Structures are given as C-alpha cells and as structure tokens.
Amino acid sequence: TAYGTGVGIEIQGADLLVTIARVRPSGADLLAATTIENFGQRPASEWGTDYAAFLRRLGVSHAAAVVVLPRRDVIVRQLNLPGVSDEMLDSAVGFQLDSLHPYKEDEAAGAWARLGESPNVLAGITRREVVDRYSNLFAEAGVVVAAFSFSAAVIYSSARIADQAEPRNLLALRHHADGDLEAYGESAAYPAFSSSFYTPS
C-alpha cells in the first residue's frame, strides 16, 4: 500500500521544479510546488537555502529528494526477457547493458526494473559524469538526494500510485523549451511502454 510524503526535483534546463506530493491508499495529492530559477548560475548555498526554506514551510525537511534527470541525458531502453526469474534478472540485463549505449564501460551509469509482473524491463542509462556532477552540486547546496530517475520511470510509477488500476490507453507528449519532443505511451493491450525523444534536425 502506497503511503508517505515525497519530494521530487525535475531538472528543467536552467531551472529546478521542486514538487512535494503526499500519497495515501486513496490516492496522491500535490501539496506544493516551486521553481528555483537559474540554479546553475547561482551559488549553490543561495538556492539551497531557498530549497530548505520551502521544505521547512511544508514540514518535510527530513525528506530526501528523487531527482529527475534531463531526458536528453538519459538513454531509455525496454527489454523483453520472457522466462527470466527475478533472481536472474540482474545478470540477464547486465549481460545486455553494454550493447544499449555508446559509452565506454567505466563511463556509464545505469539502473533497471521489471515492469510490474510482465517480462519487460525498463533500463535507464546515463553518463557517470552527469550523475557525479549533479550529486556534487546538490550536496554543495545541502540537498539530500535519495535517487536519480528519469521521466519515463516517473510516469510509469506515478500512474499506478495515482490510479492503482490496470494501464489505460495513454499517450503523453511533452514539448521541451529547447524544442525537443518527448513521447510516452502504453495501453491495456500492451502494458509495457515506449519513451521516445526527438531532437529537431
């Protein structure tokens, strides 16, 4: 049963969108949201103080944040692994991971999870330098980070927390400020999803 209060930080170009949500068995509620502008051009201690004050006003200073990386920094791949048990999943995905990205082995950072009880696995891969850079920046600002994630994983999880029902036919499109277009889709007939990212040529 989903229960708790969480903090999410989405990196949106030069800004950070900070969202606080409360989840109860009856559903999810958005408590508050704020935008921290030009975080990369300001001293981390300055915008970190603003972030801490925002959490304090909502009574969630204790909460660590899940940070959503910019979509253009993450390679998203879906793997179909029928017959692979949960115990063997790490080995099966790890065996294929190097073929899913163009980075050198020591440059890649990735994570994956099974999609519900299906044979499909979602993998997200980024450069280790990206994770290290944001980890150091948030630490300098005093922001406690629980995990890094990406948009497709967040949409998949949130849809189930908010609705707790079988997947519906869903297509979500997002036009980013820099002109990039992201598409996400799933359906009851095909519970796995695709997440595509298009950069105008």
Side-chain angles (χ1 to χ4, degrees):
T1 300
Y3 192 97
T5 300
V7 179
I9 301 175
E10 183 181 4
I11 302 170
Q12 296 184 332
D15 302 332
L16 300 176
L17 174 62
V18 183
T19 305
I20 300 175
R22 180 176 59 204
V23 179
R24 296 292 183 266
S26 57
D29 295 313
L30 175 65
L31 297 184
T34 190
T35 299
I36 297 174
E37 298 181 345
N38 296 317
F39 74 101
Q41 305 301 318
R42 297 165 55 192
S45 58
E46 178 184 293
W47 61 261
T49 299
D50 295 341
Y51 172 84
F54 175 66
L55 265 58
R56 197 161 47 246
R57 285 197 302 273
L58 276 296
V60 292
S61 297
H62 62 284
V66 173
V67 177
V68 182
L69 293 171
R71 180 61 180 83
R72 62 169 48 249
D73 287 337
V74 182
I75 295 172
V76 179
R77 294 289 183 265
Q78 183 176 304
L79 305 175
N80 184 264
L81 299 172
V84 177
S85 66
D86 289 341
E87 292 76 18
M88 298 299 295
L89 192 61
D90 281 357
S91 298
V93 176
F95 182 74
Q96 298 189 36
L97 197 62
D98 286 345
S99 66
L100 303 179
H101 64 82
Y103 314 129
K104 295 179 181 177
E105 183 177 355
D106 58 349
E107 293 179 350
W112 52 87
R114 186 186 296 277
L115 300 177
E117 298 179 0
S118 76
N120 300 299
V121 173
L122 173 69
I125 307 160
T126 188
R127 288 176 293 119
R128 191 173 301 279
E129 180 273 330
V130 171
V131 176
D132 290 343
R133 172 161 42 91
Y134 285 121
S135 293
N136 293 335
L137 182 60
F138 285 119
E140 186 180 347
V143 176
V144 180
V145 175
F148 288 96
S149 189
F150 53 96
S151 53
V154 170
I155 294 171
Y156 180 86
S157 300
S158 298
R160 283 148 182 78
I161 290 175
D163 191 75
Q164 294 185 354
E166 290 300 313
R168 306 165 307 282
N169 293 330
L170 170 66
L171 175 63
L173 298 174
R174 180 173 184 188
H175 216 154
H176 295 261
D178 56 9
D180 291 338
L181 177 67
E182 182 178 1
Y184 172 100
E186 61 178 300
S187 69
Y190 187 64
F193 63 85
S194 61
S195 175
S196 303
F197 194 64
Y198 306 96
T199 299
S201 55

